[in-house]
DNA sequence: GGACTGAAACGAAACGCCCCGTTTCACCGC
DNA sequence: GCGGTGAAACGGGGCGTTTCGTTTCAGTCC
């Protein structure tokens, strides 16, 4: 009863058809993958899920809310732990790019960014995502700090900001096929700026 | 006749009413500023310009093409020249953020990025913009290289990529009000990674 | 435990509104 | 007249809502 506390979805009454919500989310993802963001419409999702539009609107207040929940259902990318900051960051970006290329996450995230430019809900969610709880990159840097790899006084936030900005832009400009050398070069420039004297 | 070689615009016949195209572009910009990307429609532009839709479609093949030309009409931001790389980069980002905040360029560019997620034309234009001829950032770095501020073997492209990725993401997540300290911190981390031994 | 009942969620269809991109048409200036 | 023009309307589609008749479940009474 106190379970399932997603604030985006309405919580009135118990769901009679528990499959419905799941089928809608799966249909939404399928439509997004097959038809792209331009083909992503509530009507298309309803058709595909063999559901009525009112059923969708009963639980998600808007197209953006549905898109957001589809995004949240995506599996997170792995954070490598090699014991060296450079390898962790390069590996993370490689994992992320591969994940975005090979699953639907990439197009879903792109869609979310696009939707955020015209929908306030999506914009707020995206900002919260970008600023919210420690990102993967912050975790990686903080772990390196504990190992003593990071110079005194270095702030993790701007570092994480730089790295994930790099990832966003490559996603948005179709450059997820970047080879390891390019990634390593960019990461390296940031890294040398924050390395502890010893390293 | 050989003038006005914008490939996006049709070149059939001479324009009878030169005011028309200008009025449409101005209306497009005004709509974009006042109603945002979500309110940007060909019909809205036509209404505002007191023009017919066919007139717009006669000169621009699609909504994206119109948006693109509005973007291209924007005044470019100034590139500072202080003689020090750090000041140039920090100043450039400050100028850029201010320019994006205080003119319509910011929302226009955001709209272009959003449009690129559903329109192939806009996507190609954006990729060309991101990868195309030397960006402002590359120019700044190259100038610093000639002054000997940049270490041997440092590639300008990834540096420029990092800096402008940072700018894009701050635009997309409504963080153009960043204070100088934050910008300086992020730029500094990259800079220390590329500085010549002497600096 | 089994049948009845009423509330709630359901799919389908249609609504009014808006936008897209196109076509038609009368107009007006060269 | 000819070519660009604005106005209007087209078919196609999506949005978010409403209506309608049906299904499904929870609670109740025996």
């Amino acid at each position: 009863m106190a379970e399932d506390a997603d604030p985006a979805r309405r919580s009135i009454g118990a769901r009679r058809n528990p499959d419905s919500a799941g089928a809608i989310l799966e249909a939404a993802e399928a439509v997004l993958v097959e038809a792209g963001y331009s083909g992503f419409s509530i009507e298309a999702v309803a058709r595909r899920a063999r559901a009525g539009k009112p059923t969708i609107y009963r639980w998600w207040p808007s197209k953006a809310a549905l898109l957001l929940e589809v995004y949240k259902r995506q599996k997170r990318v792995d954070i490598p732990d090699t014991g060296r900051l450079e390898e962790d960051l390069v590996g993370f970006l490689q994992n992320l790019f591969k994940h975005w290329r090979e699953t639907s996450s990439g197009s879903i995230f792109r869609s979310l960014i696009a939707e955020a430019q015209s929908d306030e809900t999506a914009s707020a969610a995206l900002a919260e995502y970008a600023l919210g709880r420690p990102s993967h990159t912050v975790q990686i840097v903080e772990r390196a700090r504990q190992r003593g790899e990071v110079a005194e006084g270095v702030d993790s936030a701007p570092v994480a900001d730089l790295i994930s900005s790099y990832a966003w832009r490559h996603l948005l400009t179709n450059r997820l096929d970047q080879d390891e050398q390019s990634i390593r070069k960019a990461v390296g420039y940031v890294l040398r700026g924050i390395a502890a004297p010893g390293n």
Side-chain angles (χ1 to χ4, degrees), chain A:
Chain A
M1 199 160 283
E3 185 252 347
D4 187 71
D6 189 332
R9 239 195 277 164
R10 290 167 72 181
S11 52
I12 52 160
R15 179 169 309 115
R16 293 314 165 91
N17 182 0
D19 299 340
S20 181
I24 289 168
L25 284 169
E26 281 172 26
E29 179 173 342
V31 167
L32 210 40
V33 171
E34 290 169 17
Y37 175 59
S38 60
F40 181 67
S41 72
I42 297 285
E43 312 226 355
V45 172
R47 274 195 301 271
R48 168 127 195 169
R50 250 184 273 276
K53 283 199 293 172
T55 303
I56 298 182
Y57 280 105
R58 189 176 343 268
W59 282 323
W60 294 277
S62 69
K63 190 174 153 177
L66 178 57
L67 185 59
L68 191 58
E69 182 152 349
V70 170
Y71 172 70
K72 283 186 183 160
R73 271 165 52 100
Q74 293 295 304
K75 206 165 70 67
R76 304 269 125 212
V77 70
D78 288 336
I79 305 181
D81 188 2
T82 64
R84 288 200 55 233
L85 178 54
E86 177 175 346
E87 298 312 313
D88 281 0
L89 284 179
V90 171
F92 171 68
L93 283 177
Q94 282 186 303
N95 285 355
L96 183 60
F97 284 7
K98 186 177 179 195
H99 186 240
W100 276 346
R101 267 187 277 116
E102 297 181 357
T103 73
S104 44
S105 301
S107 44
I108 294 175
F109 194 39
R110 289 182 65 148
S111 303
L112 189 58
I113 293 175
E115 187 73 15
Q117 307 313 312
S118 56
D119 180 280
E120 197 47 51
T121 309
S123 179
L126 198 64
E128 191 270 337
Y129 168 85
L131 282 64
R133 3 100 297 226
S135 69
H136 288 173
T137 325
V138 166
Q139 294 177 40
I140 292 174
V141 175
E142 283 301 320
R143 224 170 37 198
R145 185 198 301 285
Q146 286 169 10
R147 288 195 304 263
E149 283 190 71
V150 178
E152 196 95 16
V154 164
D155 197 350
S156 306
V159 177
D161 204 359
L162 279 166
I163 299 290
S164 49
S165 295
Y166 180 85
W168 277 41
R169 188 159 185 257
H170 279 244
L171 173 66
L172 290 174
T173 53
N174 297 312
R175 287 183 293 156
L176 296 182
D177 54 350
Q178 212 76 354
D179 61 18
E180 188 190 324
Q181 284 314 316
S182 303
I183 296 177
R184 192 173 292 276
K185 212 173 255 186
V187 167
Y189 292 153
V190 177
L191 267 192
R192 280 197 285 278
I194 68 169
N199 304 36

